[in-house]
Amino acid sequence: MNPVAHIVDQDDPRIAPYRAIRERDLVGREGRFIAEGKVVLNVLFNSRRFEVESVLILEQRLVGMQQTLATAPVDMPVYVATQSVLDAIAGFHIHRGILALGRKRPAEDANALLSGLPDQALVVALVGISNHDNVGAIFRNAAAFNADAVLLDASSCDPLYRKAIRVSVGAVLQVPYAVLPTHQDISKTLAEHDFRQLALSPSGKDDIGALAAARRNALYLGTEGEGLPPLLMDQMQTVRIPMSESFDSLNVAAASAIALHRLWHGA
Amino acid sequence: MNPVAHIVDQDDPRIAPYRAIRERDLVGREGRFIAEGKVVLNVLFNSRRFEVESVLILEQRLVGMQQTLATAPVDMPVYVATQSVLDAIAGFHIHRGILALGRKRPAEDANALLSGLPDQALVVALVGISNHDNVGAIFRNAAAFNADAVLLDASSCDPLYRKAIRVSVGAVLQVPYAVLPTHQDISKTLAEHDFRQLALSPSGKDDIGALAAARRNALYLGTEGEGLPPLLMDQMQTVRIPMSESFDSLNVAAASAIALHRLWHGA
């Protein structure tokens, strides 16, 4: 049974990391992040790549959380508060009433990550995807289709942003990922590990549905506005999702769902 | 050239319909809606199913909007304002600086809508999808894969909510739709028009990727939590998207992208 402490003062130092969490996303967080909701907490407690420092929940949620908390480290503190104290701490209304403070273990090296993958593997490469919702949604799709890893360039958003975690329904805590400085670094690393590298773009050459099978696939996704850098497109096989010519294009998360479904090796 | 009027007072009666637009979504709007951004306005001006009553834009955007405004009805008023007046009118920061007031023409009858469809057709049926982002995203996917119509039950959210329009990038103004009271009404109408009706669900029986071709397909989508009603699932062919067993499920919009891509008849 975890130690439970009632928090009655929003300035209690024990819950300082939960204060003003919207703003906190914007500053250095030293590997710490806020996870929300029961489903995400279940993923977090079962992840070996992340630690949980504490949880902060609405007092009336404590009973319903017992099963989830049973999988938490035994000495992890559980803080409970009333809705008004909780909202005052967070800086906005915490609808679900369930928060956790996680911490990333030392960052994974992309090379080590790829070295540990099975012979048949699927990797997603994100270039310049700065929208939190899109990064979260792409991770969710990656988890649904068993992607083995996600590589991000430094201009993509941190998957541990609160909103990215929430939209991913915890998938950012489940699918291993690594950040590399540029897309050139990503493509060099993938080449060393013998991946077929596919750049997805509305102007791509080959129909994603008509590709020959390959043992190891890496799917590159870029921003909706500018797309993938022309230099990157020139260097690799480009693929497209055929669609109506009368409509602009798919959202990048929707496009990733279709492409990953096509590249999935099956259960 | 459209008449241009400078608005200097946030209480100017001419721009009353733009006031507090966040709250306005929640009350009776008499078929009126707010569209945001240049891309959406382009769709709106080219739609025969909607009228535009006026636009309200940031003064420095006027020049860049000339090409878009050239397609507007000639007598439609163009209101311009400074950023601070615009924000005061809307009740929050209008980042893109481009708003339009649209109005729905008399609601389309589902039966009439389906009667006008070609022999080969694709329809999307939404049951209980109350999330604005999901409705918007599904319409965007429907447009990308040339769906001919969307039918919604009355418990699904109005596609003309501001956020649904924005997320759809205007697709809700492009793909014809009709609202019916219940899913029973939807399925009765589709049956009369000779549609193969497919219920998409994680527990569906047939792999969506292995379906025999059909001339007319209707794809049912339900909420993420509860899914489609059991009664509906019992009455029709159920389909699923095979995915990892270790992950919860896809977001309904992502699932719609994959399914519509599979059901698309091509350009």
Side-chain angles (χ1 to χ4, degrees):
Chain A
M1 182 69 192
N2 292 85
V4 175
H6 284 263
I7 304 294
V8 291
D9 176 6
Q10 66 180 88
D11 294 323
D12 190 315
R14 291 174 293 180
I15 50 74
Y18 293 94
R19 253 178 239 143
I21 52 180
R22 270 201 179 138
E23 287 71 35
R24 204 169 288 271
D25 254 358
L26 307 172
V27 299
R29 295 167 296 152
E30 296 157 352
R32 281 164 151 186
F33 58 89
I34 297 290
E36 299 162 289
K38 196 168 172 175
V39 175
V40 174
L41 255 65
N42 270 320
V43 179
L44 181 57
F45 290 149
N46 289 296
S47 168
R48 274 165 304 176
R49 297 182 300 117
F50 301 94
E51 294 173 89
V52 202
E53 299 196 0
S54 66
V55 301
L56 170 60
I57 61 180
L58 201 58
E59 50 187 8
Q60 58 265 43
R61 289 284 163 91
L62 186 57
V63 172
M65 285 294 288
Q66 287 308 324
Q67 211 177 334
T68 298
L69 291 173
T71 63
V74 285
D75 55 348
M76 181 204 75
V78 175
Y79 301 121
V80 298
T82 61
Q83 185 77 59
S84 62
V85 171
L86 190 61
D87 294 354
I89 293 166
F92 62 101
H93 179 59
I94 298 293
H95 177 64
R96 301 178 191 207
I98 297 166
L99 298 173
L101 177 65
R103 185 198 288 270
K104 189 163 60 170
R105 294 185 196 271
E108 208 137 10
D109 172 69
N111 211 34
L113 178 56
L114 296 186
S115 297
L117 296 187
D119 186 50
Q120 187 170 268
L122 175 57
V123 169
V124 182
L126 306 187
V127 179
I129 304 210
S130 54
N131 179 288
H132 304 180
D133 294 273
N134 283 338
V135 167
I138 292 167
F139 266 88
R140 183 171 178 181
N141 296 336
F145 295 113
N146 267 338
D148 298 279
V150 176
L151 301 180
L152 303 94
D153 77 336
S155 72
S156 293
C157 110
D158 183 349
L160 296 179
Y161 273 117
R162 194 174 55 86
K163 208 173 170 197
I165 299 175
R166 193 179 65 204
V167 171
S168 82
V169 202
V172 300
L173 307 175
Q174 189 176 332
V175 183
Y177 68 85
V179 181
L180 286 154
T182 69
H183 64 82
Q184 287 93 339
D185 300 306
I186 293 178
S187 104
K188 191 167 161 285
T189 310
L190 285 166
E192 285 164 7
H193 290 272
D194 203 20
F195 273 81
R196 173 169 73 175
Q197 303 191 44
L198 305 167
L200 184 65
S201 162
S203 64
K205 190 169 157 287
D206 302 319
D207 178 349
I208 186 91
L211 281 181
R215 214 167 32 83
R216 304 193 130 192
N217 286 301
L219 178 74
Y220 282 76
L221 302 166
T223 58
E224 275 176 66
E226 308 209 344
L228 289 164
L231 194 68
L232 182 149
M233 298 274 289
D234 288 346
Q235 285 169 347
M236 61 185 72
Q237 184 175 357
T238 60
V239 290
R240 73 189 144 71
I241 297 166
M243 68 185 81
S244 166
E245 283 173 21
S246 68
F247 196 70
D248 195 29
S249 71
L250 286 170
N251 159 275
V252 64
S256 78
I258 295 168
L260 291 170
H261 174 248
R262 286 287 190 177
L263 294 172
W264 186 41
H265 288 289
Chain B
M1 181 70 190
N2 293 82
V4 175
H6 284 262
I7 304 295
V8 290
D9 176 5
Q10 65 180 86
D11 295 322
D12 190 314
R14 291 175 294 179
I15 49 73
Y18 293 94
R19 254 178 239 146
I21 51 180
R22 271 200 178 139
E23 287 71 36
R24 202 168 290 271
D25 253 358
L26 306 173
V27 299
R29 294 168 296 152
E30 296 157 353
R32 281 164 151 187
F33 58 90
I34 298 290
E36 300 161 288
K38 196 169 173 174
V39 175
V40 175
L41 256 64
N42 269 320
V43 179
L44 181 59
F45 290 149
N46 289 296
S47 167
R48 272 165 304 175
R49 295 182 301 118
F50 301 94
E51 294 173 89
V52 202
E53 298 196 358
S54 66
V55 301
L56 170 60
I57 61 181
L58 201 58
E59 52 187 7
Q60 59 265 43
R61 288 282 164 90
L62 186 58
V63 172
M65 285 294 289
Q66 288 307 324
Q67 211 176 333
T68 298
L69 291 173
T71 63
V74 285
D75 55 349
M76 180 204 73
V78 175
Y79 301 120
V80 298
T82 60
Q83 184 78 58
S84 61
V85 171
L86 191 60
D87 294 354
I89 294 167
F92 63 102
H93 179 59
I94 298 293
H95 178 65
R96 304 180 190 203
I98 297 165
L99 298 172
L101 178 66
R103 186 198 286 269
K104 188 163 61 170
R105 296 186 194 269
E108 208 136 10
D109 172 69
N111 210 32
L113 178 55
L114 296 186
S115 298
L117 296 189
D119 186 48
Q120 186 169 267
L122 176 57
V123 169
V124 182
L126 306 188
V127 178
I129 304 211
S130 55
N131 178 287
H132 304 179
D133 294 272
N134 284 339
V135 167
I138 292 167
F139 265 90
R140 184 172 177 180
N141 296 337
F145 295 114
N146 267 337
D148 298 279
V150 176
L151 301 180
L152 303 94
D153 76 337
S155 71
S156 293
C157 109
D158 183 349
L160 296 179
Y161 273 117
R162 194 174 55 86
K163 208 171 171 200
I165 299 175
R166 193 179 67 205
V167 171
S168 82
V169 202
V172 300
L173 308 175
Q174 188 176 331
V175 182
Y177 68 86
V179 180
L180 287 155
T182 68
H183 65 82
Q184 286 93 339
D185 300 308
I186 294 178
S187 105
K188 189 166 164 285
T189 310
L190 285 166
E192 284 164 8
H193 290 272
D194 202 18
F195 274 81
R196 172 169 73 174
Q197 304 190 45
L198 305 167
L200 184 65
S201 161
S203 63
K205 189 169 158 289
D206 302 319
D207 178 350
I208 184 94
L211 282 181
R215 213 167 37 81
R216 303 193 131 192
N217 286 300
L219 178 74
Y220 283 75
L221 303 166
T223 58
E224 274 175 67
E226 309 210 345
L228 289 164
L231 195 68
L232 182 149
M233 297 274 288
D234 289 346
Q235 286 169 347
M236 61 185 72
Q237 183 175 0
T238 61
V239 290
R240 74 189 143 72
I241 297 166
M243 67 185 82
S244 167
E245 284 172 22
S246 67
F247 196 70
D248 196 29
S249 70
L250 285 170
N251 159 275
V252 64
S256 78
I258 294 168
L260 292 170
H261 174 249
R262 286 286 190 176
L263 294 172
W264 186 39
H265 289 289

